[in-house]
Every structure is written in structure tokens, then in C-alpha cells.
Amino acid sequence: MVALGCGAAGQLYASDETFLKRAVWSEDRAWLLSDSGQMFSVAEKDTAPRFEYAGANVLDMCVADGQVRVLVQKEDYPYDRWQLRHREGGQWVDDTAIPVEQPKPGEAVPPEPMAMVCDGGGVTILTHDRLLTVTGGKIAGIGLVGKTGFGIATVLATPHTLYVGYNKGEWGGGLQSIDRVSGAVKRIEKDGGGDSLCVGPLNTDCDPVNGLVPSPWHADCVVASIGLIHMAPHGRVVEVCDGDIRRVYFKNDDDGFGGNKDASVRDPSGEGYSTVAFYGLAVDGKDVLAIGMDGLYHVQGDGTAVVEPLPKFTKIAPFWLNFDRQGMVLVMTSINRRAAVGGATPMLISRPH
């Protein structure tokens, strides 16, 4: 491994820091978290990233009131608690210590959090068997009724429901909802039925869900982006309203590997075997901005889209970022390589302006 430099915890190594699982905006900086718990920040004029040491390995992060919050496993703690921390005056300050259930028989280590979301002044933490809400130092927890999925988790919190999208690469992922009162876990899907493979607007076995935003077109609905590049790409943008799934937008990748130019479609909608893969989402007025593998798509509620090319990325070693667009930052992540045969893919960071 190649040492990049030194931080509060010692040397920083260039092994897997580009396998980014979270990216947020705070203090005029893009904050980047790898799936190994390393955290960095980059400002627009920086020539090198800043290694951010939060006092321990970072399990997840989110932003509340413009400030980064992290969930850590402190090195001097036993494995029976996590610690929430936040930034104050450029320093990390402890918030709430969260008890963690000990391993069940046959389990080697305590469960790790699947995802954390800053939610209405509090923090919601999802594990494989519990939903924890931390507000004002008080912890409320409910047990989950039903099995969660696995993979890279993307979450969207509403007052009554936690939506969880899963990215398992070539093994799909899908979408679930979790009732925040009862803990009931429900799979949200609509496949093509029968023996056909990977048809339907949202197929758990085939469709990694990479982005979730509130729908700008219908109240109490959510929009999800689906995308996978596993040699050939596929993806689409869908809207979910009370369990009903509408295919909003797709684009056949006619000239790509495995393209649809000389092959029959695999779905009655006209969607081909090779389609554009989509990743991050953001609400842009009455449009949804979807980051595709080949451009920025302004998706409208009627199923049309205006496309602009992806911008040029600048290397701020070891990361590739773009700060040119008002209201957002783009950064490349290699994390999908862990579960699919493909290259780096873009992440979207919303930047208030």
C-alpha cells in the first residue's frame, strides 16, 4: 500500500478510500466516507483532500442543520455501544452513546448499522433487526417485523416510513419500506411474472436501487433510481406511490455492449436488454435530476427527459470531483466494483446555495 500522508490517527493509505459509500456537503466542503470507515473532506479550491479523523472508525454519516454528524465505534469503548458525534468549532464533540445488542449465538461480532439518516432534528439508525431514533439525547427503538435486505443501503425518511434501497450489484437489491411505528418491513416490487428474467419496473433480484428522493410530481410518493453496469448496463427511474410502481423513464443503450439495436426487447414497455444505468438523484423544482452513466438527466413527470453531458472531472488525488454546477457536486466512486464488473460511477452531493 502507498502512504498518502499523516492524519490524527497516523498514516493514511491508498487502498480502498475511493470505495465511497456516502458523500455529503457541510462547511463549504464535500465530505466523503469510504466503506472501510475512512473520512475525507475536499473544498472547491483544494489541491489535496483533507483526512478527517473523528476519533474512531466512522460507521456512517449524515448532515443535520448544516453540520456533519457521524456514528463511530470508539476505540476505547467495548463493543456494546456506538457513539454519535458532531462538529463544533472545527472539533468533534460527543452526542449520544447508543447501546448495541450483543452478538446472538453463532454470531462473531455485534451487528453493524446498515444506514443512518439525519431526520427532522434527530438521527435514525437502521440495523438488520432494529430501527433506532435519537432525538435530544433520547433513544427510541423498535424491533423490525420481517427481514431486511443487504448491500449498500440508501435511505429516505418520511414522517411515517423509512424507505431503503439496496445495491447488491449483479445480484440486484430492490426497495423496502419500514413502518416507523410498527417496524413492519415490506418489499416493494413489481416484476414481469412468469419465467422471464429481469422484467418489470422494479425487480428485487435484478435491480440495484441507488437513489431515493421525494416525488416532486405527487405528494406522499418517492422516486427511485435503478442502475447496474455488469459488463452490460441496465437501469431506469421509477415512482412509488402507496406501493404502486410506475416506470417513469428509461433510455435504451442501443450502441452499447449487449445493446438493443438487433435484439428483441425484454420488457413489454419497450425497455431493452441494455439501458442507461442511473445512480444519484436530486429534486430540481418540478424535475428530478438523475445522474446517468452518460449524462445528467432532467426527468419530468410525464416520462420525458432533457439530457446534458457529464461534466469534466478534476483529480484531487485519489478522488475525481466536479464543482462546476450550482447546487451540486459530483464525485466518482469505485464501490460498485465490489459486486459488479464495471468501472467508477458518479455520486451526487446536494450543495445548498
Side-chain angles (χ1 to χ4, degrees):
M1 294 185 291
V2 180
L4 291 178
C6 294
Q11 285 189 320
L12 170 65
Y13 293 100
S15 56
D16 59 357
E17 62 267 17
T18 60
F19 288 80
L20 301 174
K21 71 173 185 178
R22 295 282 184 264
V24 299
W25 184 261
S26 176
E27 301 178 24
D28 293 323
R29 305 181 69 83
W31 293 72
L32 313 174
L33 177 63
S34 75
D35 67 348
S36 63
Q38 297 182 87
M39 186 169 57
F40 310 84
S41 71
V42 185
E44 185 170 357
K45 302 301 182 181
D46 283 354
T47 58
R50 189 172 76 192
F51 179 49
E52 301 285 357
Y53 183 59
N57 185 58
V58 178
L59 302 173
D60 212 337
M61 70 176 180
C62 59
V63 172
D65 298 324
Q67 295 296 315
V68 176
R69 288 191 173 187
V70 296
L71 183 67
V72 302
Q73 174 67 64
K74 294 188 72 171
E75 296 165 357
D76 58 346
Y77 271 29
Y79 281 105
D80 64 352
R81 73 191 78 171
W82 298 321
Q83 179 70 48
L84 280 171
R85 311 197 81 195
H86 72 276
R87 296 268 294 177
E88 188 174 297
Q91 303 295 319
W92 291 102
V93 179
D94 284 351
D95 284 333
T96 307
I98 302 172
V100 178
E101 293 183 2
Q102 290 304 288
K104 297 176 182 177
E107 293 180 345
V109 295
E112 289 194 357
M114 295 174 60
M116 179 175 88
V117 59
C118 291
D119 173 27
V123 171
T124 298
I125 301 166
L126 174 67
T127 75
H128 282 287
D129 55 10
R130 292 182 66 77
L131 191 64
L132 305 172
T133 301
V134 184
T135 307
K138 296 182 179 180
I139 305 170
I142 58 172
L144 300 184
V145 182
K147 295 184 64 175
T148 60
F150 65 91
I152 304 167
T154 299
V155 294
L156 173 66
T158 71
H160 305 292
T161 305
L162 190 75
Y163 292 93
V164 189
Y166 300 98
N167 175 0
K168 298 191 295 183
E170 64 172 303
W171 296 280
L175 179 65
Q176 289 182 328
S177 65
I178 300 175
D179 187 288
R180 301 186 66 162
V181 175
S182 68
V185 180
K186 181 181 178 181
R187 178 184 287 189
I188 301 173
E189 66 178 352
K190 186 177 181 181
D191 58 31
D195 297 326
S196 299
L197 180 65
C198 292
V199 296
L202 182 51
N203 189 313
T204 300
D205 294 331
C206 301
D207 293 336
V209 173
N210 302 311
L212 291 168
V213 292
S215 173
W217 312 309
H218 302 103
D220 301 321
C221 299
V222 300
V223 176
S225 57
I226 295 164
L228 169 66
I229 300 177
H230 183 62
M231 294 182 285
H234 92 263
R236 70 195 70 88
V237 176
V238 301
E239 184 183 42
V240 178
C241 297
D242 194 26
D244 182 59
I245 301 166
R246 177 174 71 100
R247 187 190 322 253
V248 178
Y249 182 79
F250 70 88
K251 179 183 175 184
N252 284 328
D253 182 39
D254 293 343
D255 298 321
F257 177 81
N260 188 44
K261 182 173 291 185
D262 299 313
S264 60
V265 298
R266 70 173 174 190
D267 189 279
S269 69
E271 185 177 313
Y273 283 90
S274 184
T275 52
V276 169
F278 291 98
Y279 297 96
L281 295 177
V283 175
D284 184 15
K286 288 296 185 179
D287 296 346
V288 168
L289 184 63
I291 307 301
M293 66 186 194
D294 61 348
L296 305 177
Y297 287 71
H298 299 259
V299 180
Q300 283 127 41
D302 62 1
T304 60
V306 177
V307 188
E308 59 180 285
L310 283 175
K312 181 179 179 180
F313 285 75
T314 300
K315 187 174 185 180
I316 304 176
F319 307 110
W320 291 87
L321 299 103
N322 177 277
F323 290 90
D324 293 344
R325 188 181 182 88
Q326 188 178 34
M328 63 180 287
V329 177
L330 299 180
V331 59
M332 302 299 287
T333 177
S334 302
I335 197 168
N336 288 306
R337 293 180 182 177
R338 296 209 188 279
V341 180
T345 56
M347 302 176 75
L348 183 156
I349 307 172
S350 292
R351 173 170 54 164
H353 62 278

